[in-house]
Amino acid sequence: LISMKKVLSLALGLVLSIGSYSIAAEQRGSIERKTNYVQVKNASGWESADAGTSLFVGSSLRTGPRSVAEIKYDDGSMTRVGSRSNLVINDRKINIKRGYIWGKVDKNKTKGLKIFTATAIASITGTEFFVEVNSDKSTTITVLEGSIEVEGKAGKILVTQGTYSTVDADGVASNPNAFDVAKVIERYAEVAKM
């Protein structure tokens, strides 16, 4: 005979696994366009992605060399993921492990978006921006329109339109500096001009 404790343990395990599956199955957006090598990892593993591929809470996405993916989220926000990037999509949160993204968020249509990297958290409510995880593990946040609150281990700063800040590997954010728009667009041309 199976003990009551074991039955309760099995039942709890089943409820938790069903609950976590239903959370993972919540769709957050889809790939609108892509160029070259783009893969998505869902419950069944890494698969080649095309326009129309759905993205769920917990989905991972990676791009190869000279590859870009444009993602449209369920609230109308949009991001473009650049070459050699790797990120995870959660509920109104994106965790960039490597690479960079461009994004446009309409504050009238969304509750906001948070972008996490190893050194920073960018809180976005209505803006156009680039966030890049650099090879030295620092994070650069560039704001084309609006403003972004950036939090590192050493505190918070506000990065406003026409400026950028770099959060170093220790979590210390630089003071915002002005940038040359043409140079920024040239640097991120593959996602800016998709």
XYZ file of all heavy atoms in Angstrom, residues 82-87 94-102 115-121 130-142 165-169 187-188:
332
model
N 20.073 41.590 -32.516
C 21.198 41.628 -33.436
C 21.965 40.324 -33.529
O 21.663 39.336 -32.846
N 22.987 40.319 -34.368
C 23.840 39.153 -34.600
C 24.490 38.640 -33.329
O 24.816 39.421 -32.438
C 24.971 39.518 -35.567
O 24.456 39.784 -36.835
N 24.674 37.328 -33.302
C 25.397 36.661 -32.207
C 24.841 37.035 -30.839
O 25.598 37.294 -29.899
C 26.884 36.969 -32.278
C 27.528 36.524 -33.571
C 28.985 36.931 -33.611
N 29.543 36.776 -34.927
C 30.226 35.714 -35.349
N 30.403 34.706 -34.560
N 30.701 35.676 -36.568
N 23.524 37.092 -30.751
C 22.870 37.453 -29.493
C 22.166 36.240 -28.912
O 21.824 35.296 -29.623
C 21.857 38.578 -29.721
O 22.512 39.766 -30.115
N 21.957 36.289 -27.597
C 21.274 35.220 -26.895
C 20.474 35.860 -25.769
O 21.024 36.621 -24.975
C 22.313 34.239 -26.337
C 21.702 32.985 -25.775
O 20.591 32.998 -25.256
N 22.433 31.891 -25.849
N 19.161 35.582 -25.728
C 18.321 36.175 -24.694
C 17.201 35.244 -24.289
O 16.914 34.267 -24.973
C 17.771 37.525 -25.151
C 16.966 37.591 -26.452
C 15.506 37.267 -26.215
C 17.093 38.971 -27.046
N 13.106 40.851 -20.383
C 14.022 40.213 -21.322
C 15.369 40.133 -20.627
O 15.859 41.122 -20.095
C 14.147 41.022 -22.634
C 12.791 41.120 -23.327
C 15.193 40.393 -23.550
C 12.794 42.058 -24.518
N 15.960 38.962 -20.639
C 17.282 38.782 -20.041
C 18.272 38.566 -21.185
O 18.241 37.534 -21.846
C 17.256 37.581 -19.092
C 18.535 37.450 -18.302
O 19.595 37.911 -18.719
N 18.441 36.801 -17.161
N 19.136 39.555 -21.422
C 20.124 39.446 -22.499
C 21.391 38.825 -21.925
O 22.041 39.397 -21.053
C 20.459 40.823 -23.114
C 19.194 41.513 -23.623
C 21.477 40.658 -24.235
C 19.436 42.920 -24.133
N 21.727 37.660 -22.430
C 22.939 36.961 -21.998
C 24.147 37.434 -22.797
O 25.247 37.526 -22.289
C 22.794 35.450 -22.202
C 21.536 34.859 -21.625
C 21.707 34.571 -20.181
C 20.488 33.791 -19.685
N 20.495 33.624 -18.284
N 23.918 37.712 -24.085
C 24.999 38.121 -24.986
C 24.374 38.880 -26.147
O 23.262 38.592 -26.567
C 25.710 36.864 -25.512
C 26.865 37.172 -26.445
C 27.481 35.915 -26.996
N 26.504 35.244 -27.844
C 26.530 33.957 -28.129
N 27.433 33.178 -27.631
N 25.615 33.437 -28.910
N 25.097 39.882 -26.675
C 24.649 40.592 -27.869
C 23.910 41.877 -27.567
O 24.139 42.516 -26.546
N 22.991 42.235 -28.473
C 22.301 43.515 -28.317
C 20.921 43.484 -28.965
O 20.629 42.640 -29.809
C 23.128 44.649 -28.918
C 23.323 44.564 -30.413
C 22.486 45.237 -31.276
C 24.351 43.800 -30.949
C 22.668 45.155 -32.648
C 24.548 43.716 -32.310
C 23.694 44.402 -33.160
O 23.870 44.310 -34.514
N 20.098 44.436 -28.526
C 18.769 44.599 -29.109
C 18.467 46.079 -29.310
O 18.996 46.940 -28.612
C 17.647 43.958 -28.260
C 17.481 44.665 -26.905
C 17.869 42.480 -28.080
C 16.258 44.208 -26.144
N 17.599 46.336 -30.284
C 16.953 47.633 -30.465
C 15.517 47.413 -30.036
O 14.964 46.329 -30.213
C 16.989 48.031 -31.942
C 16.039 49.149 -32.296
C 16.311 50.480 -32.280
C 14.674 49.034 -32.731
N 15.205 51.199 -32.668
C 14.181 50.335 -32.955
C 13.815 47.958 -32.939
C 12.882 50.586 -33.376
C 12.511 48.202 -33.361
C 12.065 49.516 -33.578
N 14.670 45.121 -18.985
C 15.726 44.371 -19.637
C 16.820 44.126 -18.606
O 17.324 45.063 -17.993
C 16.267 45.111 -20.868
C 15.138 45.252 -21.890
C 17.468 44.370 -21.449
C 15.514 45.945 -23.148
N 17.147 42.867 -18.421
C 18.160 42.449 -17.461
C 19.417 42.007 -18.197
O 19.340 41.323 -19.211
C 17.657 41.257 -16.631
C 16.538 41.591 -15.688
C 15.233 41.703 -16.150
C 16.782 41.782 -14.340
C 14.187 42.006 -15.286
C 15.751 42.090 -13.474
C 14.452 42.198 -13.944
N 20.574 42.391 -17.669
C 21.860 41.855 -18.115
C 22.600 41.434 -16.843
O 22.072 41.586 -15.739
C 22.688 42.895 -18.902
O 23.151 43.900 -17.994
C 21.882 43.521 -20.031
N 23.808 40.949 -16.996
C 24.576 40.536 -15.817
C 24.897 41.709 -14.901
O 25.086 41.533 -13.700
C 25.868 39.851 -16.253
N 24.924 42.958 -15.436
C 25.335 44.105 -14.625
C 24.270 45.183 -14.446
O 24.474 46.099 -13.659
C 26.578 44.788 -15.242
O 26.259 45.261 -16.554
C 27.750 43.833 -15.310
N 23.152 45.103 -15.184
C 22.193 46.218 -15.142
C 20.758 45.747 -15.334
O 20.504 44.685 -15.897
C 22.536 47.234 -16.229
N 19.837 46.598 -14.876
C 18.412 46.437 -15.152
C 17.940 47.756 -15.762
O 18.113 48.818 -15.166
C 17.603 46.161 -13.871
C 18.104 44.899 -13.175
C 16.117 46.055 -14.200
C 17.528 44.698 -11.782
N 18.711 51.158 -27.592
C 19.581 50.009 -27.824
C 20.123 49.584 -26.463
O 20.462 50.435 -25.636
C 20.786 50.360 -28.708
C 20.440 50.717 -30.120
C 20.380 52.045 -30.515
C 20.190 49.734 -31.061
C 20.069 52.397 -31.816
C 19.881 50.066 -32.374
C 19.821 51.400 -32.744
N 20.191 48.281 -26.228
C 20.879 47.745 -25.049
C 21.846 46.695 -25.560
O 21.460 45.791 -26.296
C 19.901 47.115 -24.030
C 20.676 46.453 -22.890
C 18.935 48.151 -23.480
N 23.124 46.831 -25.162
C 24.155 45.899 -25.621
C 24.964 45.366 -24.449
O 25.398 46.118 -23.583
C 25.100 46.582 -26.602
C 26.200 45.666 -27.096
C 27.055 46.266 -28.210
O 26.936 47.490 -28.477
O 27.820 45.518 -28.810
N 25.159 44.039 -24.449
C 26.078 43.406 -23.511
C 27.413 43.316 -24.243
O 27.526 42.656 -25.269
C 25.586 42.006 -23.090
C 26.621 41.308 -22.218
C 24.254 42.116 -22.355
N 28.405 44.040 -23.728
C 29.713 44.126 -24.376
C 30.580 42.924 -24.035
O 30.299 42.182 -23.090
C 30.399 45.433 -23.952
C 29.540 46.639 -24.276
O 29.180 46.878 -25.417
N 29.172 47.402 -23.253
N 31.662 42.736 -24.783
C 32.538 41.578 -24.583
C 33.194 41.570 -23.196
O 33.535 40.512 -22.682
C 33.607 41.516 -25.671
O 34.386 42.695 -25.653
N 33.335 42.742 -22.557
C 33.923 42.797 -21.211
C 32.861 42.651 -20.116
O 33.110 42.915 -18.943
C 34.705 44.097 -21.022
C 33.826 45.341 -21.078
O 32.589 45.232 -21.314
O 34.361 46.449 -20.900
N 31.640 42.237 -20.506
C 30.498 42.009 -19.603
C 29.836 43.294 -19.111
O 28.917 43.249 -18.299
C 30.871 41.127 -18.405
C 31.446 39.789 -18.781
C 30.460 38.969 -19.566
C 31.066 37.609 -19.912
N 30.390 36.936 -20.968
N 30.298 44.450 -19.590
C 29.596 45.694 -19.261
C 28.341 45.786 -20.131
O 28.174 45.019 -21.078
C 30.506 46.905 -19.506
O 30.816 47.021 -20.884
N 27.466 46.723 -19.797
C 26.217 46.924 -20.537
C 26.130 48.377 -20.974
O 26.342 49.275 -20.153
C 24.997 46.603 -19.645
O 25.095 45.254 -19.190
C 23.690 46.792 -20.399
N 25.815 48.622 -22.249
C 25.625 49.984 -22.738
C 24.162 50.190 -23.090
O 23.574 49.394 -23.831
C 26.508 50.259 -23.976
O 27.875 50.056 -23.608
C 26.321 51.685 -24.478
N 23.566 51.252 -22.548
C 22.172 51.621 -22.809
C 22.198 52.940 -23.553
O 22.727 53.933 -23.059
C 21.364 51.762 -21.501
C 21.275 50.409 -20.775
C 19.959 52.271 -21.793
C 22.278 50.241 -19.708
N 21.624 52.956 -24.765
C 21.590 54.144 -25.610
C 20.124 54.500 -25.851
O 19.351 53.657 -26.298
C 22.285 53.863 -26.963
O 23.612 53.387 -26.699
C 22.346 55.102 -27.827
N 24.705 55.422 -21.429
C 25.464 55.135 -20.220
C 25.973 53.712 -20.322
O 25.307 52.845 -20.893
C 24.588 55.277 -18.973
O 25.299 54.894 -17.812
N 27.153 53.486 -19.756
C 27.706 52.134 -19.701
C 27.801 51.711 -18.239
O 28.334 52.447 -17.406
C 29.096 52.078 -20.363
O 28.954 52.445 -21.739
C 29.686 50.680 -20.285
N 27.249 50.547 -17.945
C 27.328 49.974 -16.602
C 28.455 48.953 -16.641
O 28.387 47.973 -17.397
C 25.998 49.313 -16.195
C 26.090 48.755 -14.780
C 24.844 50.301 -16.316
N 29.506 49.198 -15.856
C 30.684 48.328 -15.924
C 30.421 46.972 -15.269
O 29.342 46.720 -14.711
C 31.919 49.021 -15.354
C 31.873 49.260 -13.852
O 31.085 48.596 -13.132
O 32.642 50.119 -13.379
N 31.424 46.089 -15.328
C 31.282 44.729 -14.814
C 31.018 44.697 -13.309
O 30.503 43.707 -12.792
C 32.531 43.920 -15.148
N 26.607 51.894 -36.239
C 27.059 50.765 -35.416
C 26.024 49.659 -35.360
O 26.353 48.480 -35.405
C 27.383 51.247 -34.006
C 27.681 50.110 -33.045
C 28.341 50.570 -31.778
N 28.504 49.519 -30.804
C 29.284 48.463 -30.914
N 29.992 48.284 -32.014
N 29.371 47.557 -29.965
N 24.765 50.038 -35.229
C 23.685 49.059 -35.091
C 22.856 48.952 -36.373
O 21.661 48.671 -36.319
C 22.786 49.444 -33.921
C 23.479 49.467 -32.583
C 23.689 50.671 -31.922
C 23.932 48.292 -31.997
C 24.323 50.687 -30.683
C 24.556 48.311 -30.765
C 24.757 49.511 -30.097
O 25.375 49.521 -28.885
